[in-house]
């Protein structure tokens, strides 16, 4: 509710055009459609899911992504693709360099806490804050390290170390 209230007055033109890569490699690009979790995350944090017309998770082409031209791209933890793979155009047969999100360095890998943050999990409130920060850095400024420490202490009775926080917020390919 806190995040929804902050983005409620954004006009359609001010809303960030986003895309959630559910699964991805050199052979396929699978995005989160309008009835899948990525849609919920994008819309709840004030964005527009460019794949909202699609059902479930759907395979799309680079040509479709060129047409959508998202301003921000999120990568789920269900794929080994990392932001640098897209930002540095390392995927054979896919040229991401002309996409606005890539031009502006706005490609992010979702965190991994007690579980993957893409499907509903105990870390869902943290996911919303993390995404709000990335979607609208001028509107949101959650201190994610502090948020993580307080949340894990309160709900899991677990004291996160700085190493734990680094691992959660910056998951590795493996």
């Amino acid at each position: 509710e806190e995040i929804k209230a902050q983005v409620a007055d954004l006009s359609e033109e001010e809303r960030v055009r986003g895309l959630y890569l559910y699964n991805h490699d050199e052979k396929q690009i699978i995005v989160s459609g309008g009835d899948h979790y990525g849609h919920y995350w994008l819309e709840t944090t004030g964005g527009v899911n460019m794949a909202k017309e699609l059902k479930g998770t759907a395979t799309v082409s680079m040509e479709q992504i060129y047409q959508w031209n998202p301003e921000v791209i999120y990568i789920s933890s269900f794929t080994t693709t990392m932001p640098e793979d897209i930002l540095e155009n390392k995927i054979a047969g896919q040229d991401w360099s002309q996409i606005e999100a890539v031009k502006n360095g706005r490609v992010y890998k979702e965190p991994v806490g007690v579980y993957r943050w893409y499907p509903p999990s105990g870390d869902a409130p943290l996911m919303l804050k993390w995404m709000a920060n990335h979607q609208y850095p001028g509107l949101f400024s959650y201190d994610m390290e502090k948020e993580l420490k307080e949340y894990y202490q309160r709900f899991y009775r677990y004291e996160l170390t700085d190493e734990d926080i680094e691992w959660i917020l910056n998951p590795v390919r493996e």
Side-chain angles (χ1 to χ4, degrees), residues 69-130:
N69 196 21
E71 296 171 282
V72 64
I73 296 172
Y74 298 100
I75 305 169
S76 85
S77 58
F78 286 100
T79 185
T80 59
T81 298
M82 299 298 284
E84 59 268 19
D85 298 330
I86 291 174
L87 291 167
E88 298 170 16
N89 237 2
K90 294 180 179 179
I91 310 295
Q94 298 174 13
D95 180 9
W96 292 86
S97 65
Q98 297 308 305
I99 304 298
E100 192 168 339
V102 174
K103 288 180 184 179
N104 295 314
R106 297 187 71 194
V107 179
Y108 308 103
K109 182 78 169 189
E110 73 181 17
V112 177
V114 293
Y115 187 64
R116 303 167 193 262
W117 284 16
Y118 183 82
S121 74
D123 289 348
L126 295 167
M127 174 67 154
L128 291 168
K129 290 178 176 183
W130 177 82

Side-chain angles (χ1 to χ4, degrees), residues 47-80:
V48 176
N49 180 9
M50 298 310 294
K52 66 184 170 192
E53 302 301 322
L54 304 176
K55 299 290 181 199
T57 58
T59 302
V60 298
S61 65
M62 277 307 302
E63 288 73 24
Q64 178 62 66
I65 293 173
Y66 295 147
Q67 288 176 357
W68 286 332
N69 196 21
E71 296 171 282
V72 64
I73 296 172
Y74 298 100
I75 305 169
S76 85
S77 58
F78 286 100
T79 185
T80 59

Side-chain angles (χ1 to χ4, degrees), residues 27-62:
K27 296 176 187 159
Q28 63 184 357
I29 303 167
I30 300 175
V31 299
S32 181
D35 60 353
H36 216 260
Y37 301 123
H39 178 78
Y40 169 78
W41 300 125
L42 285 162
E43 296 276 324
T44 302
T45 55
V48 176
N49 180 9
M50 298 310 294
K52 66 184 170 192
E53 302 301 322
L54 304 176
K55 299 290 181 199
T57 58
T59 302
V60 298
S61 65
M62 277 307 302

